[in-house]
């Protein structure tokens, strides 16, 4: 299951990030924001129209592109 598969309002624990799917600057940015295995993330809004995922991670609201959400694996 990836972050993209999560339903709005649901929370999950980050299992890992598929590093091959992300450009290095984006991977660095995610790590700086706290996207580490074991961190809890909540999907607040999924906007197909804008191609964005709005998430809450450690109390911070973060917007991600949907294709970046596909690289974030969650524990099921």
């Amino acid at each position: 299951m990836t972050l993209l598969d999560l339903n709005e309002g649901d929370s999950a624990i980050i299992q890992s990030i598929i590093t091959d799917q992300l450009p290095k600057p984006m991977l660095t940015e995610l790590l700086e924001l706290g996207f580490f295995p074991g961190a809890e993330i909540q999907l607040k809004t999924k906007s197909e129209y804008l191609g964005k995922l709005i998430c809450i991670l450690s109390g911070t609201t973060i917007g991600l592109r949907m294709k970046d959400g596909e690289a974030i694996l969650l524990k099921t």
Side-chain angles (χ1 to χ4, degrees), residues 23-34:
K24 189 173 181 177
M26 185 61 192
L27 178 61
T28 301
E29 187 172 334
L30 289 177
L31 294 173
E32 288 175 350
L33 290 169

Side-chain angles (χ1 to χ4, degrees), residues 32-45:
E32 288 175 350
L33 290 169
F35 283 78
F36 289 103
E40 183 175 349
I41 189 164
Q42 179 186 22
L43 180 61
K44 187 174 180 182
T45 305

Side-chain angles (χ1 to χ4, degrees), residues 16-61:
S16 63
I17 297 175
I18 304 172
T19 57
D20 296 349
Q21 291 186 9
L22 298 171
K24 189 173 181 177
M26 185 61 192
L27 178 61
T28 301
E29 187 172 334
L30 289 177
L31 294 173
E32 288 175 350
L33 290 169
F35 283 78
F36 289 103
E40 183 175 349
I41 189 164
Q42 179 186 22
L43 180 61
K44 187 174 180 182
T45 305
K46 185 186 299 186
S47 174
E48 301 275 343
Y49 178 72
L50 297 174
K52 297 286 183 183
L53 302 171
I54 307 300
C55 307
I56 299 174
L57 179 70
S58 302
T60 302
T61 302

Side-chain angles (χ1 to χ4, degrees), residues 7-9 11 55-56 66:
N7 294 318
E8 291 182 0
S11 298
C55 307
I56 299 174
M66 285 189 165

